[in-house]
């Protein structure tokens, strides 16, 4: 059995299908009617994509419970559960995620923010978002790059932000 | 009170977000454990190395990691993984560690959230009860390794001036107490300067691109252009390791990929995707020219994806990340150091570690770009260990053998019981303000 299935047009950017009529969608997709997205929308889309690239699993809702092993295997050699200090017990049950810890510790969070590398001194390059070649043309609607009319079409059909006025 | 027993052995654990490197300091090399709890498609759950011994089908594997963006946040999962690492798998033949008789050296990622480090200290003493404990950024363990000449030797000397000659001229720069460590790991790429045996916190620079992001970017690209592989983290990571390289001439390679069709492109390679069948799981591999294809092979042809993916380490702006690339963040780190002599020292003692430095071409690319960013008269000596994954652990093992030095750094269980977790923050933590004048 093949592990992966071929998909028709690979939109993976998680673009939300807007719930509007087909006619209106077609009209909005026509380049003549394209409305430029405002910069806040574009910024949000970029931030969302970077967050997606940092994910551990594509399906973020995946939950794996700690398997209970009977008879000594992994936890048998450790101290008995009853001998644990309250602090450790709390820590082992903690469901806090990074955001909680950052919110609780302002000084620590600012230290962590201070080590982030700054922006480059050089201008960003222009890479086609479809095929990976140089992309001198900018999509008027979503600011993505592409290199040719073929890539432009693919871009519009798949990834371009669906922004409706 | 009973006298404190002297620790009889030293256990070194380099706690990477992706892989734990652990073992007794007396052993020649560490054991490597995935720092994850994983679940296969048939819903079996594996703790750490059980993945390699028990899992047969790596497709659709999902991960739960104790780390989040390079910070150790979840002890519920890290505890069961550490239990395996420290106590062994519970079989009678395994030689587990007895913490109360053991000195513990722990390497953690640079620039951890302080509360995460404090939680770790608490677990080490109160849950495991190690006799003595020393925690530091893994970069410090790298620094503790002996950077011998072989580390810096290059196979072919591209420079007009042979290395031996220039090294001779600069012997006063070859200091063992100062190292610039670049760790391109799973969650991020971090530059950590170590000056006079101390981590210089104000100079740490972190680029949010590591192996995980590269894997996900490749996953996104393959899924957009070829097959939907968004759920195939493990398989795409293998593809990344087998097929990707850092281009030393990005523009030219891009032109080649534009000019030739996939069939004729000299840079294109065919990857045979892994397959699960009745006879078991067959791993994926790069197809060689002579290899006959089987009828139900699924072939993935990769061309500019091979070098465009690792390219974001050098140009994060290609995927709209507003940070500078690896050579530039090294420069940013050096720019925080006011003294020119110290900067030159760091440049002459630079070591690259971490999985993402293993890309073919990484060394050449970073060397040439860093040369261009530094002053003409700076003497660059860049070290690329043979095994950049275990190099930090090896440094920890070396530190573990220097008993007196370790004694001056560590905290004992008795001290912890007496003074509480503050003693760890004081001894291992960064000072509130860097008071050293540079």
């Amino acid at each position: 059995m093949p592990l992966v299935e071929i998909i028709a047009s690979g939109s993976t950017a998680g673009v939300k299908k807007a719930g509007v009529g087909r006619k209106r969608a077609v009209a909005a997709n026509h380049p003549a009617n394209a409305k430029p997205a405002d910069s806040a929308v574009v910024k949000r889309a970029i931030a969302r994509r970077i967050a997606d690239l940092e994910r551990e699993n594509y399906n973020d809702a995946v939950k794996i419970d700690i398997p209970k092993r009977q008879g000594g295997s992994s936890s048998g050699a450790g101290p008995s559960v009853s001998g644990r200090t309250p602090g450790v017990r709390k820590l082992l049950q903690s469901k806090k995620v990074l955001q909680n810890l950052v919110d609780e510790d302002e000084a620590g969070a600012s230290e962590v923010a201070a080590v982030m590398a700054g922006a480059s001194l050089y201008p960003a390059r222009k890479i086609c978002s479809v095929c990976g070649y140089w992309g001198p043309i900018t999509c008027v609607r979503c600011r993505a790059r592409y290199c040719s009319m073929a890539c432009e079409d693919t871009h519009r059909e798949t990834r371009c932000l669906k922004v409706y006025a | 009170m009973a006298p404190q027993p002297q620790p009889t052995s030293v256990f070194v654990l380099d706690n990477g977000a992706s892989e734990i490197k652990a073992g007794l300091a007396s052993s020649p090399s560490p054991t490597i454990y995935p720092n994850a709890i994983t679940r296969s498609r048939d819903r079996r759950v594996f703790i750490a190395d059980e993945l390699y011994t028990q899992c047969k089908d790596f497709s659709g594997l999902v991960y739960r990691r104790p780390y989040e963006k390079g910070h150790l946040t979840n002890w519920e999962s890290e505890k069961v993984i550490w239990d395996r690492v420290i106590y062994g798998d519970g079989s009678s033949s395994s030689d587990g560690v007895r913490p109360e008789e053991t000195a513990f050296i722990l390497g953690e990622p640079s620039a951890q959230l302080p509360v995460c480090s404090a939680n770790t200290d608490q677990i080490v003493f109160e849950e495991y009860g190690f006799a003595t404990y020393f925690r530091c950024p893994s970069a410090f363990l790298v620094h503790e390794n002996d950077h011998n000449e072989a580390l810096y030797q290059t196979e072919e000397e591209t420079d007009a001036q042979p290395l031996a000659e220039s090294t001779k001229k600069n012997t006063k720069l070859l200091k063992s107490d100062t190292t610039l460590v670049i760790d391109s790991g799973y969650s991020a790429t971090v530059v950590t300067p170590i000056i006079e045996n101390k981590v210089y916190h104000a100079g740490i620079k972190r680029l949010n691109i590591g192996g995980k992001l590269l894997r996900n970017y490749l996953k996104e690209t393959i899924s957009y252009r070829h097959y939907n592989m968004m759920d195939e983290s493990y398989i795409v990571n293998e593809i990344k390791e087998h097929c990707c390289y850092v281009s030393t001439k990005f523009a030219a390679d891009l032109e080649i990929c534009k000019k030739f069709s996939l069939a004729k492109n000299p840079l294109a390679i065919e990857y045979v995707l892994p397959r699960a069948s009745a006879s078991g799981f067959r791993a994926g591999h790069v197809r060689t020219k002579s290899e006959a294809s089987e009828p139900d092979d699924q072939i993935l042809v990769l061309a500019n994806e091979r070098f465009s993916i690792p390219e974001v380490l050098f140009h994060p702006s290609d995927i709209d990340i507003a940070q500078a690339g690896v050579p530039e963040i090294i420069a940013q780190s050096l720019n925080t150091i006011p003294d020119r002599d110290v900067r030159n020292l760091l440049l002459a003692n630079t070591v690259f570690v971490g999985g993402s430095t293993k890309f073919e071409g990484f060394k050449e690319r970073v060397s040439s770009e860093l040369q261009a960013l530094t002053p003409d008269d700076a003497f660059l000596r860049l070290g690329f260990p043979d095994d950049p994954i275990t190099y930090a652990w090896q440094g920890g093992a070396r530190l573990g053998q220097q008993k007196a030095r370790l004694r001056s750094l560590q905290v004992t269980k008795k001290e912890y019981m007496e003074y509480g977790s503050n003693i760890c923050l004081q001894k291992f933590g960064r000072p509130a303000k860097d008071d050293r004048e540079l």
Side-chain angles (χ1 to χ4, degrees):
Chain A
M1 191 194 85
L3 285 173
V4 290
E5 285 154 34
I6 299 171
I7 49 170
S9 63
S11 168
T12 59
V15 179
K16 223 169 106 192
K17 288 267 186 300
V20 291
R22 193 178 142 75
K23 254 186 189 166
R24 221 171 127 193
V26 170
N29 265 329
H30 195 273
N33 300 337
K35 289 205 175 68
D38 65 84
S39 63
V41 172
V42 172
K43 265 191 198 138
R44 266 204 303 278
I46 289 172
R48 199 186 316 127
R49 182 187 178 211
I50 294 172
D52 282 352
L53 286 175
E54 297 232 352
R55 277 192 206 175
E56 192 55 63
N57 302 303
Y58 175 57
N59 179 0
D60 225 9
V62 166
K63 292 270 179 295
I64 304 178
D65 289 325
I66 308 290
K68 299 252 184 310
R69 300 280 158 86
Q70 16 155 280
S73 73
S74 61
S75 58
S80 65
V81 176
S82 56
R84 268 182 193 145
T85 59
V88 168
R89 209 173 305 146
K90 197 172 150 208
L91 199 52
L92 291 179
Q93 286 167 358
S94 168
K95 299 271 180 243
K96 281 179 189 166
V97 295
L98 183 61
Q99 193 57 51
N100 304 125
L101 297 172
V102 165
D103 291 343
E104 282 167 20
D105 181 8
E106 249 175 61
S110 66
E111 278 176 31
V112 169
V115 306
M116 289 301 166
S120 173
L121 297 174
Y122 305 97
R125 301 191 302 195
K126 297 165 183 175
I127 304 281
C128 175
S129 65
V130 177
C131 73
Y133 188 66
W134 303 119
I137 314 164
T138 307
C139 175
V140 286
R141 208 160 356 158
C142 73
R143 306 268 122 209
R145 302 271 177 191
Y146 44 77
C147 66
S148 61
M149 282 177 74
C151 285
E152 182 183 355
D153 288 345
T154 313
H155 167 72
R156 192 169 303 119
E157 281 164 18
T158 55
R159 275 182 171 168
C160 188
L161 283 181
K162 305 281 191 290
V163 179
Y164 303 98
Chain B
M1 194 177 185
Q4 285 281 312
Q6 279 298 310
T8 50
S9 57
V10 183
F11 189 68
V12 182
L13 194 156
D14 181 13
N15 204 24
S18 159
E19 286 176 331
I20 292 178
K21 284 72 70 177
L24 292 171
S26 51
S27 51
S29 61
T31 313
I32 298 178
Y33 305 83
N35 199 355
I37 296 172
T38 41
R39 192 177 67 206
S40 61
R41 193 162 271 168
D42 55 3
R43 302 196 76 79
R44 289 175 64 201
V45 177
F46 309 99
I47 298 171
D49 56 319
E50 288 175 351
L51 177 64
Y52 298 140
T53 53
Q54 296 177 15
C55 186
K56 296 281 182 289
D57 181 355
F58 296 99
S59 60
L61 204 65
V62 288
Y63 291 79
R64 171 172 174 183
R65 291 193 188 274
Y67 272 91
E68 203 183 324
K69 294 183 178 172
H71 303 277
L72 179 47
T73 54
N74 189 278
W75 267 103
E76 188 192 10
S77 49
E78 189 67 309
K79 166 80 171 81
V80 289
I81 296 168
W82 274 32
D83 277 350
R84 270 190 79 79
V85 171
I86 291 169
Y87 299 129
D89 55 8
S91 64
S92 53
S93 59
S94 73
D95 43 352
V97 170
R98 296 171 60 85
E100 59 281 6
E101 296 165 10
T102 306
F104 188 47
I105 298 178
L106 175 69
E108 60 176 6
S110 287
Q112 279 276 290
L113 204 60
V115 60
C116 295
S117 300
N119 289 344
T120 306
D121 299 340
Q122 191 173 18
I123 291 281
V124 165
F125 279 125
E126 294 181 24
E127 177 69 16
Y128 291 103
F130 278 100
T132 72
Y133 168 50
F134 172 58
R135 165 174 62 75
C136 64
S138 297
F140 186 81
L141 297 180
V142 169
H143 163 75
E144 284 297 315
N145 210 327
D146 62 329
H147 315 308
N148 54 29
E149 265 319 296
L151 176 66
Y152 298 105
Q153 225 88 78
T154 49
E155 286 129 50
E156 69 251 54
E157 283 302 328
T158 44
D159 217 333
Q161 194 181 30
L163 182 85
E165 193 91 344
S166 61
T167 311
K168 248 181 260 162
K169 250 170 53 188
N170 292 289
T171 40
K172 66 173 189 332
L173 286 176
L174 314 180
K175 291 239 298 210
S176 60
D177 66 354
T178 297
T179 313
L180 186 64
V181 180
I182 295 95
D183 183 354
S184 192
Y186 181 71
S187 320
T189 301
V190 187
V191 182
T192 311
I194 290 144
I195 301 165
E196 290 173 356
N197 292 320
K198 285 209 172 64
V199 176
Y200 181 64
H201 291 275
I204 297 178
K205 286 289 165 206
R206 178 187 152 123
L207 163 66
N208 293 330
I209 297 178
K212 176 175 63 181
L213 188 133
L214 297 180
R215 177 199 73 198
N216 288 350
Y217 181 35
L218 180 61
K219 207 156 75 170
E220 186 198 88
T221 309
I222 292 176
S223 299
Y224 185 61
R225 296 182 194 168
H226 307 281
Y227 309 116
N228 183 3
M229 295 188 76
M230 291 309 280
D231 285 320
E232 303 297 345
S233 294
Y234 182 92
I235 293 168
V236 173
N237 199 53
E238 297 254 290
I239 298 175
K240 181 196 85 180
E241 288 175 10
H242 289 155
C243 303
C244 287
Y245 69 96
V246 172
S247 174
T248 46
K249 39 183 187 357
F250 179 74
D253 283 358
L254 211 50
E255 292 301 333
I256 291 173
C257 290
K258 181 78 176 173
K259 196 169 150 200
F260 294 100
S261 66
L262 278 181
K264 293 197 178 119
N265 186 342
L267 295 173
I269 55 172
E270 298 184 341
Y271 190 84
V272 184
L273 291 171
R275 200 169 40 149
S277 65
S279 56
F281 186 82
R282 196 200 52 186
H285 60 279
V286 177
R287 197 173 126 193
T288 52
K289 285 264 172 336
S290 54
E291 191 183 330
S293 66
E294 288 174 42
D296 55 348
D297 271 350
Q298 258 196 317
I299 308 273
L300 177 67
V301 185
L302 296 171
N304 68 18
E305 296 89 348
R306 290 183 63 204
F307 56 87
S308 294
I309 305 301
E311 183 67 21
V312 299
L313 280 169
F314 295 86
H315 285 97
S317 59
D318 285 1
I319 50 169
D320 300 314
I321 291 180
Q323 288 186 295
V326 172
E328 254 191 288
I329 64 165
I330 297 172
Q332 286 182 9
S333 169
L334 290 169
N335 283 340
T336 63
I337 296 158
D339 190 327
R340 186 167 169 270
D341 293 339
V342 178
R343 290 202 296 268
N344 282 339
L345 265 178
L346 287 165
L347 280 171
N349 298 280
T350 299
V351 181
F352 288 83
V353 294
S356 299
T357 66
K358 281 164 83 174
F359 284 118
E360 185 192 325
F362 181 92
K363 178 179 172 178
E364 291 72 19
R365 176 75 177 269
V366 87
S367 307
S368 67
E369 288 202 5
L370 197 55
Q371 193 86 56
L373 286 174
T374 47
D376 286 345
D377 58 336
F379 168 59
L380 253 66
R381 204 172 56 133
L382 311 180
F384 291 87
D386 289 335
D387 189 348
I389 306 287
T390 60
Y391 195 75
W393 183 90
Q394 302 285 0
R398 192 165 174 270
L399 173 64
Q401 270 137 27
Q402 302 164 39
K403 291 276 179 309
R405 181 159 157 66
L406 183 59
R407 219 170 291 136
S408 71
L409 296 167
Q410 73 195 8
V411 168
T412 65
K413 174 116 195 263
K414 188 162 167 262
E415 286 170 317
Y416 180 83
M417 296 319 247
E418 213 167 313
Y419 304 107
S421 57
N422 277 341
I423 181 98
C424 293
L425 292 177
Q426 264 170 37
K427 271 194 123 164
F428 315 145
R430 45 174 307 184
K433 208 170 125 245
D434 260 296
D435 47 2
R436 276 169 304 127
E437 288 295 317
L438 287 170

